[in-house]
Amino acid sequence: MLIVPEALIASLVSPEDAFAAVEATFAAMARGDAYNFPVVREALGEGRQYGFKSGLDRAGKQLGVKAGGYFPGNAEKGMINHQSSVFLFDPDTGRPVAMVGGNLLTALRTAAASAVSIDRLARGDAKVLGIVGAGHQAGFQLRAAARARRFERVIGWNLHPEMLPRLGAVAADLGLPFESVELPRMREADVIVTITSSPAASLMAEHVSPGTHLACMGTDTKGKQEVEPALLAKASVFTDEVAQSVTIGEAQHAVAAGALSEADIVAVGQVLIGAHPGRRSAEEITVFDGTGVGLQDLAVAAVAVARARERGMGMEVGV
Ligand code: NAD
């Protein structure tokens, strides 16, 4: 099996690779060629979370699991709090194929998912990008969004405003003006990406203008929440996987409140394969509930493994 350590990932997988891999994965899920296994997630105590996201892509011949979690003490030790590794197996024999560092891959595949949703669901004339959140993942989301539309400026809000200058620096790197705003000014945005670990809604329905596309990416477990359920109730809601959306995604709250039904939520893969038209009008609010599926992790890890093999990188070990 090939070991591809974290340190090699940046030289092996680009944001464009991640976009293509995630788009293909969502399409394979919609065709019924690929499916995710139930997510396992356990609280380890002292704020630590650990879990497994796994799946099988029959068409892409991927079988595997991402093992990882959240370790809040890591920052003090000079490491990022989210840590993960991806393990790939031969779907015909079950033999291990590769172990791949999963930290940067997680950031890239999450940013790619929101970018796929912007590419397919945002208005073509979107000019203003709003970002709610300014943590580790936010800059990746901004960079990926900027590839999907020709934004003219970026506005950002974060509960902890001292974190916003780092996001502003990413915008500057992309040549985009950046302004810190209060939440009501999110009405100026044509596309809003939410990427926080908030336990309660920050963004309210009154903060969002008609015609906006939202990519809600922060809520990936029970008990997190970024937007008011009333916003989902009046929007067309899309997701990576409906089963995750209603249990661990942003839609869990609107569904529990009876403001949205599971049957109203559309897998974005349906849009990708032409089975759903996507956005229907310039006034419609569209929401992508990005919960993060194991097949995304397998898809980007497979790119890393293929590139590493082509270039003779990584470490081959016997099994
Ligand atoms: P981070 O810890 O680096 O940043 C957390 C962000 O949330 C910061 O902007 C912080 O100010 C904000 N925040 C914290 N408490 C808040 C509160 N009470 N109200 C509003 N905002 C609050 O985390 P990150 O790596 O940037 O990830 C952000 C979120 O995205 C996390 O919840 C993470 O689990 C989730 N995530 C989702 C996916 C997915 O596939 N959907 C993938 C990776 C990360």
Side-chain angles (χ1 to χ4, degrees):
M1 70 184 278
L2 187 70
I3 298 176
V4 186
E6 186 66 44
L8 290 183
I9 300 299
S11 66
L12 294 171
V13 183
S14 69
E16 289 79 7
D17 293 328
F19 185 99
V22 167
E23 191 175 48
T25 295
F26 290 163
M29 286 164 59
R31 282 191 214 97
D33 290 336
Y35 70 106
N36 296 287
F37 306 157
V39 175
V40 174
R41 201 165 168 89
E42 289 291 321
L44 303 184
E46 295 156 357
R48 292 167 302 158
Q49 297 273 339
Y50 198 66
F52 306 95
K53 285 189 168 179
S54 52
L56 169 67
D57 181 345
R58 288 189 203 87
K61 287 212 150 236
Q62 302 300 339
L63 172 69
V65 57
K66 178 169 84 169
Y70 183 71
F71 299 83
N74 281 7
E76 293 147 30
K77 300 173 194 154
M79 290 179 264
I80 61 169
N81 291 343
H82 287 95
Q83 291 291 330
S84 62
S85 306
V86 184
F87 298 84
L88 299 177
F89 301 90
D90 182 325
D92 295 324
T93 64
R95 298 270 292 171
V97 169
M99 174 182 158
V100 187
N103 296 351
L104 177 59
L105 287 179
T106 297
L108 290 172
R109 65 76 148 148
T110 305
S114 59
V116 167
S117 84
I118 294 167
D119 184 47
R120 295 298 172 140
L121 297 170
R123 295 189 336 268
D125 63 354
K127 297 276 186 287
V128 181
L129 172 64
I131 306 272
V132 173
H136 174 72
Q137 189 64 41
F140 290 94
Q141 302 295 142
L142 169 49
R143 285 184 191 280
R147 280 188 202 91
R149 284 290 180 276
R150 286 172 191 255
F151 293 109
E152 293 177 353
R153 62 190 176 95
V154 182
I155 55 177
W157 177 87
N158 195 44
L159 182 69
H160 309 103
E162 69 280 5
M163 296 168 77
L164 282 164
R166 211 175 46 182
L167 192 61
V170 174
D173 190 43
L174 295 166
L176 290 168
F178 179 84
E179 195 182 353
S180 308
V181 298
E182 294 304 322
L183 280 168
R185 281 199 51 201
M186 279 293 152
R187 283 187 211 110
E188 294 169 25
D190 304 304
V191 171
I192 301 174
V193 178
T194 63
I195 184 71
T196 72
S197 51
S198 176
S202 309
L203 194 71
M204 301 295 158
E206 62 177 14
H207 299 149
V208 177
S209 293
T212 303
H213 172 67
L214 290 102
C216 298
M217 305 304 296
T219 298
D220 57 357
T221 193
K222 275 194 173 59
K224 288 187 192 172
Q225 184 177 16
E226 300 194 285
V227 307
E228 187 182 23
L231 182 54
L232 271 73
K234 69 176 187 179
S236 299
V237 181
F238 299 83
T239 187
D240 40 24
E241 190 188 80
V242 175
Q244 287 195 187
S245 172
V246 301
T247 51
I248 59 172
E250 191 60 43
Q252 65 182 286
H253 306 285
V255 169
L260 179 73
S261 93
E262 182 170 343
D264 293 331
I265 305 173
V266 178
V268 73
Q270 298 294 332
V271 181
L272 297 175
I273 67 168
H276 187 283
R279 169 175 290 278
R280 291 189 170 97
S281 79
E283 289 74 42
E284 184 180 18
I285 293 174
T286 51
V287 170
F288 174 66
D289 182 4
T291 65
V293 295
L295 286 168
Q296 282 171 262
D297 297 303
L298 308 190
V300 288
V303 174
V305 170
R307 289 274 158 73
R309 285 204 200 284
E310 276 164 28
R311 299 179 194 171
M313 294 165 78
M315 189 191 302
E316 201 74 59
V317 294
V319 288

